[in-house]
Amino acid sequence: MGDAPSLIAPEAEFITRGEFSEARQDIKLLQREMVETQTVLSNQGGQLTQILANQDAQDKKLDNLQSVRQWIGWVLVIVTSTGVVQITSHLVGAR
């Protein structure tokens, strides 16, 4: 009958049951670590969303404060200008 061709490659390596068990434990450990990492990332994403929302609220408050400050500045200019006109008119009219 002749030599039957080998179904196993000559350089093939075999894994023992103990090594296979260790590999499965390593895979399970990696899976748990991935779940923990995903949980941490999810929590950080929620915190980042909250930080950005707080920043938007702070920006709106700052914009409102700057608008009020400009409004007060214009009121002071008008009041001061009116006062200067009245004082000047009084001084010119008093002569």
Side-chain angles (χ1 to χ4, degrees):
M1 292 210 88
D3 291 329
S6 175
L7 298 176
I8 300 174
E11 56 278 333
E13 295 183 22
F14 296 95
I15 187 168
T16 65
R17 285 188 180 192
E19 292 172 331
F20 182 72
S21 178
E22 289 174 16
R24 287 186 60 174
Q25 289 174 356
D26 290 344
I27 290 171
K28 287 180 182 180
L29 177 63
L30 288 173
Q31 288 172 334
R32 283 193 301 268
E33 289 176 352
M34 286 177 53
V35 168
E36 289 175 16
T37 302
Q38 290 171 341
T39 302
V40 168
L41 289 175
S42 177
N43 290 339
Q44 288 177 344
Q47 290 173 345
L48 180 58
T49 300
Q50 185 61 44
I51 289 169
L52 292 174
N54 291 344
Q55 184 65 44
D56 285 342
Q58 292 291 334
D59 288 346
K60 288 177 184 178
K61 289 178 184 178
L62 182 59
D63 288 344
N64 289 338
L65 184 61
Q66 288 174 340
S67 295
V68 168
R69 184 176 166 203
Q70 287 176 348
W71 182 80
I72 290 172
W74 279 111
V75 168
L76 290 175
V77 166
I78 292 169
V79 168
T80 305
S81 299
T82 305
V84 169
V85 169
Q86 289 176 353
I87 292 171
T88 306
S89 298
H90 179 69
L91 292 176
V92 171
R95 288 194 173 176

